[in-house]
Amino acid sequence: MDQRGDLRLTSPAFDDGERIPDEYGRSERDVNPPLEIERVPDEADSLALVVDDPDAVEPAGRIWVHWLMWNVPPETTTIPEDWDAAGAVEGENDFGGVGYGGPSPPDAEHTYRFKAYALDAVFDLEAGASADELGRAMNGHVIAQTQLTGTYPP
């Protein structure tokens, strides 16, 4: 994903490109790591977050979705560990649940993408919507985007 604008996403739990701590994995505590959001454009009406695993294409046949969230208030600067998504809406992950599903690579170390989007709209998507539905809703509404990556061992 290409950087667009000055939007920035970081985590106090791991640096970009570094290892995600074990506790955030599906077989461990299975809670989202804390995230920090900076430089949201003034014209943003909402934020969205997508966490996925592009390395899952080989073992699973597709990019695996771990977390979808939208209608995050644009003034949000912190997503705390194990966030309850108050004020936002969460979609269905590829584990078949709504909310965060931690890293769980079946074969080798995978790189996970935490993608943040600043949007010029608030969406009327119901909780449990799919990544495809969110992607269609976001089309033409992204004013800034960024990503943070982290690795996780099998």
Side-chain angles (χ1 to χ4, degrees):
M1 178 172 97
D2 292 330
Q3 177 77 31
R4 184 191 302 172
D6 293 329
L7 184 64
R8 184 170 172 190
L9 183 67
T10 60
S11 176
F14 64 97
D15 290 329
D16 187 42
E18 297 297 320
R19 192 172 183 282
I20 299 167
D22 290 344
E23 64 190 285
Y24 303 112
R26 186 146 177 89
S27 63
E28 299 294 329
R29 288 184 51 224
D30 198 23
V31 298
N32 68 276
L35 300 169
E36 301 290 333
I37 304 166
E38 300 177 82
R39 302 183 192 140
V40 175
D42 292 339
E43 62 272 22
D45 292 323
S46 70
L47 302 171
L49 181 72
V50 175
V51 179
D52 65 16
D53 175 6
D55 294 334
V57 171
E58 184 66 30
R62 65 178 185 268
I63 294 174
W64 196 265
V65 175
H66 287 264
W67 200 17
L68 296 173
M69 187 173 20
W70 60 92
N71 293 351
V72 177
E75 63 274 7
T76 302
T77 58
T78 299
I79 295 175
E81 178 181 283
D82 197 18
W83 193 41
D84 65 5
V89 183
E90 292 179 298
E92 184 176 16
N93 61 46
D94 281 337
F95 295 109
V98 172
Y100 178 82
S104 183
D107 55 350
E109 182 175 271
H110 285 202
T111 297
Y112 295 83
R113 302 181 297 194
F114 292 73
K115 301 183 287 187
Y117 302 89
L119 307 160
D120 66 3
V122 174
F123 303 123
D124 192 22
L125 285 175
E126 292 188 22
S130 70
D132 287 343
E133 290 170 310
L134 177 58
R136 284 192 296 274
M138 287 175 35
N139 190 28
H141 294 286
V142 177
I143 54 178
Q145 64 186 34
T146 192
Q147 80 175 10
L148 167 70
T149 62
T151 62
Y152 200 85

